Amino acid sequence: MKTQQELDSERIAAAIEFLILHRTSHTGLGDVADHVHLSPCHFQRMFQRRVGVSPKQFARFLSVEYAKKILTETRASLFDAASEAGLSTTSRLHDLFVTIEGMTPGEYKRGGASLEIGYSFAPTPFGEVIVASTPKGICHLTFADEGRDEAFERLRSLFPNASYHRGTDPNQQRALSIFGRDWSDTEAIRLHLKGTAFQLKIWNALLQIPSGGLTTYSDLAQKAGYEGAQRAVGTALGNNPVVLLIPCHRVIQASGIIGNYRYGPTRKNALIGWEAARREQDGRR
């Protein structure tokens, strides 16, 4: 039997998908509420609580015009040091707090035989995640859509010879703190990742995209020093072992179309809208 949180998450996902499909029409609050079988007042409160902004405001963040605007502002902030394009200091979470340490070739060639990995499950506004860490930092953070047992087996297939124990630690708690409302007290988040030299460079470049910002595959390739390598960049993003912390959902098409995502376009839109709402709220402070 599903929990209330799971039911609410499914309704939010259905509402966002409905808003995406009808973003060019004059869809009202009642239309979306009817679609998820809730009263308008109940739906409005639930959506505001889970997403952080009203359905009407969220719909604005889904437009191609909005995406193009943010692409322009983000490009200016990344490629012109003299311009911050209105992106506030507190929106630069990843610039300030997330660092990557690549695993040694021996650590992952031996299937993680020397690694001790702790793991746990946690709810987020976008679905349950499995988060795993070594003493050096977070090594795995993905959505557990397929169920807990399957999510753990997926983790174990990456490091088949590691030692595992279920439990939380400060590394995991810091990683999950990104879902808090106030990032000013966020401690440094360390990542301990298995990846090629190319992947690590792409992931590090992606950390420079501020929360609420967007970039394109070509701009990300240029930022990482691999101009013209858009396809390889896409592959590196698909192999991202720590969703949200390395924000591959911030990479969209140059046309402003959101595009594909490992965990589906609805979740990608939800993440972009959530960050856009936080950015807008931060700008009012």
Side-chain angles (χ1 to χ4, degrees):
M1 186 174 182
K2 293 181 179 178
T3 67
Q4 188 60 50
Q5 185 177 53
E6 290 172 330
L7 291 171
D8 288 349
S9 295
E10 288 180 359
R11 287 188 172 115
I12 291 295
I16 290 172
E17 187 171 15
F18 184 85
L19 287 168
I20 293 168
L21 291 173
H22 297 84
R23 60 176 173 262
T24 58
S25 61
H26 299 289
T27 302
L29 176 66
D31 298 317
V32 191
D34 285 345
H35 181 71
V36 295
H37 309 293
L38 292 174
S39 71
C41 289
H42 186 184
F43 170 67
Q44 173 96 355
R45 288 194 301 270
M46 182 182 70
F47 196 96
Q48 182 90 34
R49 183 178 68 252
R50 298 294 297 274
V51 182
V53 69
S54 72
K56 182 177 181 179
Q57 290 171 310
F58 186 86
R60 179 166 55 83
F61 300 137
L62 300 176
S63 72
V64 171
E65 291 74 19
Y66 176 83
K68 286 182 176 179
K69 173 179 177 289
I70 298 303
L71 277 175
T72 300
E73 293 181 2
T74 305
R75 182 179 291 125
S77 71
L78 291 175
F79 293 97
D80 181 358
S83 172
E84 288 301 311
L87 293 171
S88 69
T89 300
T90 52
S91 72
R92 292 185 169 276
L93 171 69
H94 295 87
D95 283 358
L96 300 173
F97 294 115
V98 178
T99 58
I100 295 176
E101 177 178 342
M103 290 185 180
T104 66
E107 282 177 320
Y108 60 80
K109 281 185 180 178
R110 293 191 298 269
S114 61
L115 296 177
E116 295 184 5
I117 297 177
Y119 72 97
S120 62
F121 296 90
T124 79
F126 311 102
E128 188 172 59
V129 296
I130 179 173
V131 55
S133 57
T134 73
K136 292 183 179 179
I138 299 297
C139 64
H140 188 76
L141 174 60
T142 61
F143 290 106
D145 295 337
E146 69 273 60
R148 291 187 173 186
D149 291 342
E150 292 81 0
F152 173 67
E153 288 304 320
R154 178 159 40 85
L155 165 64
R156 190 160 62 176
S157 70
L158 299 174
F159 307 103
N161 298 321
S163 299
Y164 291 92
H165 67 274
R166 184 166 175 177
T168 61
D169 63 18
N171 283 326
Q172 295 176 25
Q173 292 167 358
R174 282 192 291 271
L176 295 171
S177 71
I178 65 168
F179 297 106
R181 286 294 175 189
D182 182 5
W183 286 345
S184 62
D185 294 328
T186 303
E187 296 184 56
I189 298 172
R190 296 179 299 153
L191 307 181
H192 187 207
L193 303 183
K194 171 183 174 181
T196 66
F198 175 79
Q199 289 171 334
L200 292 171
K201 198 160 186 180
I202 295 300
W203 297 339
N204 268 303
L206 192 50
L207 294 180
Q208 304 307 308
I209 309 303
S211 179
L214 298 171
T215 193
T216 66
Y217 294 94
S218 59
D219 277 356
L220 185 61
Q222 181 181 350
K223 179 71 176 174
Y226 296 99
E227 189 168 1
Q230 292 94 311
R231 183 167 295 182
V233 165
T235 301
L237 298 184
N239 290 320
N240 173 14
V242 284
V243 295
L244 307 174
L245 297 178
I246 295 178
C248 52
H249 59 276
R250 296 178 192 162
V251 185
I252 68 172
Q253 298 177 23
S255 63
I257 295 174
I258 297 301
N260 295 327
Y261 184 57
R262 177 179 171 186
Y263 297 100
T266 298
R267 185 173 273 146
K268 185 173 183 177
N269 275 279
L271 289 166
I272 291 173
W274 178 70
E275 290 188 341
R278 294 185 66 137
R279 175 189 174 185
E280 189 168 88
Q281 291 169 350
D282 181 54
R284 294 182 185 139
R285 292 175 184 170

